[in-house]
Amino acid sequence: MKNFIFISPNFPTNYWQFCRELKNNGMNVLGIGDQSYDELTQELKDSLNEYYKVSSLENEDEVYRAVAFLTFKHGRIDWLESNNEYWLERDAKLRTDFNIRSGFQVEDMPRVKYKSQMKEYYMKAGIPVARYHMVENLEGCKKFIDEVGYPVVAKPDNGVGASDTWKIENEQQLENFLEKRMNGVSYIMEEFIYAEVNSYDAIIDADGEPMFETGNVTPMSIMDIVNNDDNSIYYILKTLPEDTRKAGRATVKSFGVRSRFVHFEFFRLTKNQKGMGKKGDLVALEVNMRPCGGFTPDMINFAHSTNVYKIWADMIAYNKSTVPVGKHAYCAFAGRRDGKDFMMSDWDVMERYGGFMKMAERLPDVLSKAMGNQMFVAVFDTKKELEGFYKKILECRK
């Protein structure tokens, strides 16, 4: 029996399903988390062979000791994973420390975590990238902006999501950013791309080949959602565009991805942009070597009548899967922000769209900044129905 350590199996709350499918495939599933065992859901308890509680997953020494204990008790660890961007570097260090060769090692982290280094591998895949500058001082930033023009975007070179991302439109905002940026953090500044975000989401086998592929579209900028406390929307595509599939597969090869669930982000230009391409072309944004966050795996299942938790666990256990993919549809996420005077109440939304609804619940505070406070997930056969759903439920009184 192979030993699999799952870091933070209790968060996000839907990740217990990865553990369930691993256990169903005969893996010895060992969880490490900072929630007490009694507080775990029954579904998660039933999906683990053993659970080791630490006082904090931020405590590197304590997590190391947890892995050492589980190794002593169960023998060699074959896999260690969190499927979580926040713990990606910690996962790699633990694999390196305990000689777990089934995933990224410490030496792999720069190219998959630093936005500046990602660009080299995107370019090797033949995908255009935005021009950029590593922030040091006002003079250097102004010289870069003289080249590309306002607006520009500045963000941590190694960051998660849209945290601490700045859209800079004039010199006053530039000076404000330089004054308020976090000390000791390396920032990258990029030319602004006029685009929507399109993703390539896939489960890649041990040979670097896709076992399952789909994609999603984010019409609104996550940066604007976070910075402006706006509503959040994105949707799983009914059919993955061929250019996204081609770009995604080329990126897999360039980064040397094997045995992973991945979420690669691309800009799809909304207008012609000098040096980038024509309206509709794809431009590289960033790679994420884990599933798209939150409830996206469930949304993928709803959109394609499948089970990506099972496909991923089959990849781990067998390097192949026979899970069927059924009827295809659009799956919409809408995260409504508290404090807005919506035309439709939550009750109205459920009454009008209940037949299409798959999930409707409050989001935890840790997710609400980027995803809104009240989320609805619904499935539609046509793009017209999808767009009508967004228009109706996000409409506010004036």
Side-chain angles (χ1 to χ4, degrees):
M1 182 183 290
K2 290 186 177 181
N3 295 316
F4 192 110
I5 289 180
F6 205 107
I7 305 292
S8 186
N10 56 302
F11 187 84
T13 55
N14 49 327
Y15 275 24
W16 68 271
Q17 295 176 80
F18 286 119
C19 298
R20 176 188 63 190
E21 301 302 342
L22 288 170
K23 190 174 183 182
N24 286 343
N25 282 350
M27 306 286 284
N28 189 34
V29 187
L30 313 168
I32 297 176
D34 54 13
Q35 189 174 20
S36 71
Y37 182 78
D38 290 341
E39 293 175 341
L40 301 181
T41 64
Q42 190 59 49
E43 293 98 335
L44 178 54
K45 290 178 181 177
D46 293 342
S47 302
L48 298 173
N49 296 91
E50 183 167 349
Y51 180 73
Y52 190 111
K53 181 190 177 299
V54 295
S55 62
S56 172
L57 286 171
E58 299 281 1
N59 188 321
E60 188 172 344
D61 289 340
E62 197 174 358
V63 175
Y64 181 94
R65 289 196 297 272
V67 176
F69 172 81
L70 293 172
T71 302
F72 173 78
K73 183 174 180 180
H74 296 275
R76 178 178 175 81
I77 304 302
D78 300 284
W79 294 82
L80 183 147
E81 187 59 74
S82 66
N83 276 343
N84 192 316
E85 183 75 25
Y86 191 78
W87 303 117
L88 207 64
E89 290 172 291
R90 174 72 60 78
D91 293 347
K93 188 172 190 312
L94 289 168
R95 290 192 206 100
T96 301
D97 289 345
F98 288 91
N99 196 30
I100 304 167
R101 309 307 297 178
S102 53
F104 286 123
Q105 307 293 302
V106 169
E107 64 189 25
D108 299 312
M109 283 298 98
R111 76 176 189 274
V112 303
K113 284 293 293 178
Y114 288 86
K115 296 172 177 63
S116 57
Q117 297 200 31
M118 291 176 191
K119 292 178 181 291
E120 175 188 348
Y121 292 88
Y122 267 127
M123 288 188 288
K124 285 181 180 177
I127 302 165
V129 301
R131 289 171 289 182
Y132 73 100
H133 167 73
M134 299 309 298
V135 173
E136 292 183 1
N137 52 43
L138 177 62
E139 183 181 352
C141 291
K142 288 175 70 173
K143 184 177 179 181
F144 173 70
I145 293 167
D146 286 342
E147 178 185 346
V148 302
Y150 285 111
V152 293
V153 174
K155 51 193 172 184
D157 194 24
N158 180 7
V160 177
S163 59
D164 199 36
T165 298
W166 301 69
K167 183 179 180 182
I168 299 167
E169 301 183 89
N170 54 54
E171 189 167 333
Q172 180 59 51
Q173 291 179 3
L174 173 62
E175 292 175 357
N176 186 48
F177 155 67
L178 291 170
E179 180 183 335
K180 295 184 177 180
R181 61 179 166 155
M182 293 184 289
N183 290 329
V185 173
S186 176
Y187 284 79
I188 183 172
M189 180 176 285
E190 298 177 301
E191 63 182 308
F192 188 81
I193 305 296
Y194 295 89
E196 65 179 15
V197 176
N198 284 217
S199 78
Y200 172 81
D201 298 84
I203 297 170
I204 308 300
D205 69 16
D207 303 308
E209 298 298 329
M211 293 172 57
F212 173 86
E213 299 169 298
T214 187
N216 67 57
V217 171
T218 306
M220 302 168 65
S221 162
I222 296 295
M223 173 182 64
D224 289 340
I225 291 167
V226 171
N227 292 343
N228 302 331
D229 285 335
D230 210 340
N231 302 310
S232 174
I233 65 172
Y234 71 100
Y235 56 91
I236 307 298
L237 287 160
K238 186 173 184 177
T239 304
L240 183 66
E242 197 53 42
D243 61 347
T244 307
R245 187 189 310 276
K246 183 179 178 181
R249 290 183 177 186
T251 304
V252 166
K253 299 300 183 187
S254 182
F255 279 82
V257 179
R258 288 178 172 77
S259 303
R260 293 201 72 78
F261 203 141
V262 299
H263 171 65
F264 298 158
E265 294 177 335
F266 302 92
F267 288 121
R268 188 176 294 280
L269 299 179
T270 52
K271 67 178 187 179
N272 297 346
Q273 190 164 348
K274 186 177 179 181
M276 290 292 97
K278 297 179 180 178
K279 180 180 178 180
D281 287 352
L282 291 178
V283 174
L285 176 49
E286 64 182 58
V287 296
N288 299 281
M289 299 297 180
R290 42 75 181 173
C292 187
F295 297 99
T296 306
D298 302 288
M299 291 173 59
I300 293 172
N301 289 344
F302 299 144
H304 302 295
S305 308
T306 191
N307 184 348
V308 292
Y309 298 105
K310 171 66 171 167
I311 297 172
W312 176 84
D314 287 354
M315 176 271 291
I316 298 291
Y318 315 124
N319 200 37
K320 62 181 180 180
S321 181
T322 57
V323 174
V325 174
K327 179 184 175 183
H328 299 284
Y330 294 96
C331 186
F333 174 95
R336 303 209 303 183
R337 186 76 62 188
D338 287 353
K340 293 184 180 293
D341 191 12
F342 294 106
M343 294 288 288
M344 297 180 74
S345 68
D346 293 351
W347 177 263
D348 293 334
V349 172
M350 292 304 298
E351 189 171 41
R352 170 69 177 81
Y353 290 103
F356 302 90
M357 204 67 66
K358 295 295 184 179
M359 302 176 76
E361 58 186 77
R362 296 289 295 178
L363 287 168
D365 290 343
V366 71
L367 297 177
S368 64
K369 191 69 175 172
M371 301 181 71
N373 303 102
Q374 173 67 39
M375 70 96 162
F376 298 97
V377 171
V379 171
F380 301 97
D381 286 332
T382 68
K383 185 79 173 293
K384 184 177 180 180
E385 290 174 306
L386 173 89
E387 291 170 344
F389 169 72
Y390 283 134
K391 183 178 179 180
K392 283 281 189 183
I393 75 165
L394 298 178
E395 186 179 4
C396 290
R397 293 181 177 86
K398 296 182 179 179

